[in-house]
Each structure stands twice: as C-alpha cells, then as structure tokens.
Amino acid sequence: MALVVQKYGGTSVGSIERIQNVARRVAKAYDEGNDIVVVLSAMSGETNKLVALANEICEFPSEREYDVLVSTGEQVTIALLSMCLQSMGYKAKSYTAAQIPIRTDSAHTRARISSIDDQRVREDLRNGTIIVVPGFQGVDPEGNLTTLGRGGSDTSAVAVAAALKADVCEIFTDVDGVYTTDPRIVPEASKIEKISYDEMLEMASLGAKVLQIRSVEFAKKYGVVIHVRSSFNDNPGTLVMKEDPEMEAVLVAGVTYNKDEAKISVMRVPDKPGIAAQLFTSLSQSNVTVDMIIQNVSHDGFTDMTFTVPHGDYKKAMKIVEGTATGIGASEVKGDEHIAKVSIVGVGMRSHSGVASQMFACLAQEGINVHMISTSEIKISCIIDSKYTELAVRVLHESFGLSGEDVQQETL
Ligand code: ASP
Ligand code: MG
C-alpha cells in the first residue's frame, strides 16, 4: 500500500464528464489499496476568466482581493470531485487551503509555501477517506488567502507530497509526459522515460511548459519523485527524479526553444569599471530581468555589449538603455526583436566532450548564424534569428539521435 498524491490540471477537470473521468481514476487507485490525496486545478479557462473580471472592475485591483477572487476556481473543482466520489460510494472530503492549512508567506499573487499541516489529512486517510485539496491556494500568517502564481497547482501538489512523505506525486496533464522536444515541431519527438531534477529545471526555464519551475525546485529539495502522465490514457509517463548513471550515459536529453526574448546591443561603451553596473542597475530597478550577456574584447578603450531581455519588456528596456547609454558615453543602441534561443540539455554533457562543437556544426550546416552562446554544466544555448527556430530544433533533435518510433501525442 502506498500514499499517492494525484494532481489533475485544468484540461483534466475541464467539464463534468472529465471530472467524472478523474473520479474513476482516483477510485481505481484507491481500490488498488492506496491512500489518495488529490490536488486539483480550476477548470480550464476559469482562472483566466476570473483574472479578466478583476481587470474589468478596475485597472489595478488590490492584490489581496485578486487572490480572494482567483482562488475560487479551485474551490469549485474540489467540491465537484468530492461530490462525484461520494455519489460513487466512496468516502471523500474536500478541504480549502485555509482549512488544512497550507501556509504561505504574504506575497499576494506569487506566495511561497512555508509549511503544510498534515494532521487533519492523516486522520482522514486513516479512516479510509479520499482527500481533495485545491492547488494554487494558500493562507498567510494573518489568515489572508494567497495564491502561488499561475500554474501554481503543480507546486501545491509537490508540497503536499513532501509534507506527507508520499511515495509518488503523479501530475496528470493533457500530454503523455515530458518530450525530447516540442512534438508540434518534431513529430518524431519521443517521450522521456526519466529525467533528473536539474535537467527538468533547465528544460522548464528554457521553454518546456509541462511543469511549473518552482514545483521542480521543491521536488528536488525534498526528493519527491514526480510522475508526469496523461489523464486520458494509462500509458506510463515521465519520471522526474534523482540523477542516475543511466541518465549520464545520454548525451542530450532534450532540445528546447524560446521565442520570447529580444536582443539589445550597446556599441562603443567606454571600457572602465562601473559602466556595466550602471547599465544593468537601471534595468533591474525597473524589474527587467536580463538573461544572456556578452561583452566583446575591447579596442582602443571601447567595447560592445549585447544582452537579451524578455520580449514583453523590450520597448521598456530599449528606452532605459538609450537613456543610460547617452550618460555613459556609448555611441549607439541597437535592438533586435526577431531572435530565438535554442538549447540542448543533458547531464551527459558533464562527462562527454564535443557536444558544443556538434551543436555549432549542426547549425552551421544549415547556414544558421549563431549570435550569442551561453552554457552551464548541463546546457548549451544559442541565440539565432527567430525565422530559423523550427529548422534548428529539427536538425539538433536529429543530430543528437533523439527521435523515437513509439511517439504518441494526445490530441484533444
Ligand atoms: N488555476 C491556476 C492557473 O490557471 C493554477 C493552476 O492551474 O496550476 O494558473
Ligand atoms: Mg498547469
């Protein structure tokens, strides 16, 4: 007998039929002799609707009230699933985050979980009850409702699994697992059987959208094994877990891309101490996060600097940088919105040489120019013209031998 936390995302609970389908899955796992705690998202589209309502009422809704509003989507689904399970003859009970409680800090709209009380849940589990709790919700030390940021139900599920020392945290979604790349671009992409926390963190922050990044950080910290799988079939999904020697043997685990960045270059910047600090302090003060940075070798006391920012912040960043550039005596600021970042990720890179050269050669062969490069121990990212994104992803996927035959994607 195991303690299983099952989390179902928005599409999995998107209609009454689908909630009934979830209830059957939960019941099956229970009948197999497991203790079950279910964590639910709101019905798909529901949170967006609530956010839109808030924005219709006023331009800058108070964050406290925003949380009271948007956390209601999850309260709907937990009650409906509990009712459904009860009607099937099971003992089931929903609890809101405040009732458990799932405690967070007071950072409304992006709160962090600090602790989860397991007493109530354990008592209920002992008498055979299926527990249903909302994702995304929390309660701060003053008793205010909080939310964890969009996609936060994944983190709720992992945190609940950690608090209960569950055997596994199953994250049910509308895809079969984590793929070697986006199957919409490469139909031969294959499902990854198991992936390390660090690889998953890189993949998630580089563009793969299966899990909220924070949930993976949480899982790594507490050693929670995550099983990402589909709620529409019984196929085994992807295990996100501690690194093992088999993972090291694979050169590259996945290829990701992100078209959501823009590039800014500052030309002929005086090469002296304090200049970079000035440039980037003005950006950080305006909450613009900078990703890659390159400083060229300097000539005659001047250098060029290039960096990337989120696409949504491009115009704002250009304005700030143009202002600062004049102040520090730079000659010109150039921007490029049509770039993309393609990356390869894999723990195998740590112990194998030649991965970077293979990536560059592969891009060169297709005539794709690399504008910027950044690396970590387990990833290599290149900035290229965005029009080549799909081509780059396809050739890299092919070159590192990631294509599989048994590829299946759930179409909804
Ligand atoms: N319902 C929330 C959202 O749409 C949380 C989640 O589904 O993970 O962002
Ligand atoms: Mg989600």
Side-chain angles (χ1 to χ4, degrees):
M1 183 170 115
L3 173 54
V4 180
V5 172
Q6 295 193 332
K7 182 255 168 178
Y8 293 90
T11 33
S12 304
V13 293
S15 65
I16 292 298
E17 292 73 34
R18 289 194 174 168
I19 290 176
Q20 286 163 337
N21 170 54
V22 166
R24 282 191 292 273
R25 297 194 81 108
V26 171
K28 183 164 168 266
Y30 178 88
D31 290 339
E32 284 163 5
N34 301 301
D35 283 339
I36 313 285
V37 178
V38 186
V39 179
L40 295 182
S41 284
M43 295 168 92
S44 55
E46 209 43 49
T47 311
N48 288 345
K49 259 189 232 159
L50 294 166
V51 171
L53 284 176
N55 292 330
E56 255 181 72
I57 272 285
C58 64
E59 204 183 344
F60 300 108
S62 107
E63 292 191 330
R64 183 187 183 279
E65 303 313 323
Y66 172 97
D67 280 348
V68 172
L69 176 71
V70 300
S71 61
T72 58
E74 273 70 12
Q75 201 161 319
V76 171
T77 49
I78 59 169
L80 289 173
L81 180 68
S82 303
M83 289 173 193
C84 189
L85 284 164
Q86 288 165 3
S87 72
M88 290 159 64
Y90 291 85
K91 276 201 273 187
K93 202 167 180 184
S94 69
Y95 285 117
T96 64
Q99 286 171 324
I100 292 196
I102 298 176
R103 289 186 226 278
T104 69
D105 60 18
S106 301
H108 283 292
T109 77
R110 54 184 179 284
R112 282 181 177 269
I113 294 178
S114 47
S115 69
I116 296 178
D117 203 332
D118 64 348
Q119 208 185 338
R120 224 164 168 167
V121 175
R122 283 200 190 281
E123 260 166 45
D124 283 337
L125 288 175
R126 262 196 295 275
N127 67 40
T129 307
I130 297 167
I131 309 300
V132 189
V133 299
F136 190 46
Q137 282 190 8
V139 61
D140 82 354
E142 279 78 51
N144 298 301
L145 286 178
T146 56
T147 60
L148 309 182
R150 297 305 304 272
S153 298
D154 294 338
T155 303
S156 306
V158 174
V160 167
L164 293 171
K165 300 188 179 58
D167 295 283
V168 62
C169 179
E170 296 185 310
I171 304 235
F172 287 93
T173 175
D174 51 8
V175 291
D176 267 357
V178 181
Y179 276 74
T180 47
T181 195
D182 185 345
R184 283 171 305 185
I185 294 184
V186 185
E188 305 80 32
S190 38
K191 188 174 64 195
I192 301 174
E193 220 175 288
K194 55 184 179 177
I195 187 170
S196 70
Y197 295 120
D198 287 332
E199 287 169 320
M200 193 64 236
L201 280 172
E202 290 281 14
M203 301 258 293
S205 58
L206 293 168
K209 295 199 176 64
V210 220
L211 290 173
Q212 202 203 30
I213 295 173
R214 212 186 271 175
S215 71
V216 186
E217 290 168 352
F218 222 102
K220 181 182 174 188
K221 186 166 170 193
Y222 295 99
V224 175
V225 177
I226 302 179
H227 186 183
V228 183
R229 52 191 306 195
S230 167
S231 65
F232 301 105
N233 61 48
D234 284 321
N235 302 341
T238 302
L239 292 176
V240 185
M241 52 187 274
K242 231 174 76 197
E243 192 177 319
D244 69 19
E246 266 177 62
M247 295 175 188
E248 277 262 17
V250 180
L251 268 194
V252 167
V255 180
T256 61
Y257 67 96
N258 182 1
K259 293 184 178 180
D260 214 22
E261 288 190 32
K263 184 177 85 166
I264 298 177
S265 300
V266 191
M267 319 305 288
R268 278 186 73 77
V269 182
D271 188 12
K272 56 183 191 210
I275 294 289
Q278 267 189 56
L279 200 58
F280 293 112
T281 306
S282 56
L283 286 168
S284 68
Q285 278 168 349
S286 306
N287 280 326
V288 176
T289 47
V290 173
D291 182 20
M292 282 192 207
I293 303 176
I294 288 185
Q295 177 174 331
N296 287 3
V297 175
S298 69
H299 284 292
D300 323 319
F302 291 95
T303 182
D304 300 333
M305 268 189 189
T306 303
F307 53 90
T308 60
V309 297
H311 198 269
D313 288 337
Y314 174 65
K315 287 207 171 71
K316 177 163 123 185
M318 277 298 275
K319 241 203 207 128
I320 296 168
V321 174
E322 276 162 355
T324 326
T326 322
I328 59 180
S331 74
E332 195 190 348
V333 179
K334 291 188 202 164
D336 186 354
E337 290 187 76
H338 307 289
I339 57 147
K341 180 163 72 175
V342 290
S343 312
I344 54 176
V345 176
V347 289
M349 277 178 215
R350 280 203 296 248
S351 47
H352 296 84
S353 58
V355 179
S357 55
Q358 185 176 339
M359 179 179 196
F360 305 145
C362 184
L363 295 174
Q365 217 159 42
E366 300 298 325
I368 300 172
N369 192 30
V370 175
H371 299 303
M372 300 170 82
I373 300 164
S374 83
T375 62
S376 79
E377 235 193 343
I378 63 162
K379 74 120 202 270
I380 304 167
S381 298
C382 293
I383 297 288
I384 60 171
D385 288 341
S386 63
K387 63 180 178 201
Y388 295 127
T389 313
E390 285 76 12
L391 175 62
V393 169
R394 266 199 299 274
V395 295
L396 289 170
H397 193 268
E398 173 76 47
S399 170
F400 287 99
L402 295 175
S403 301
E405 300 96 279
D406 64 330
V407 181
Q408 255 197 346
Q409 222 221 338
E410 202 62 43
T411 34
L412 294 173

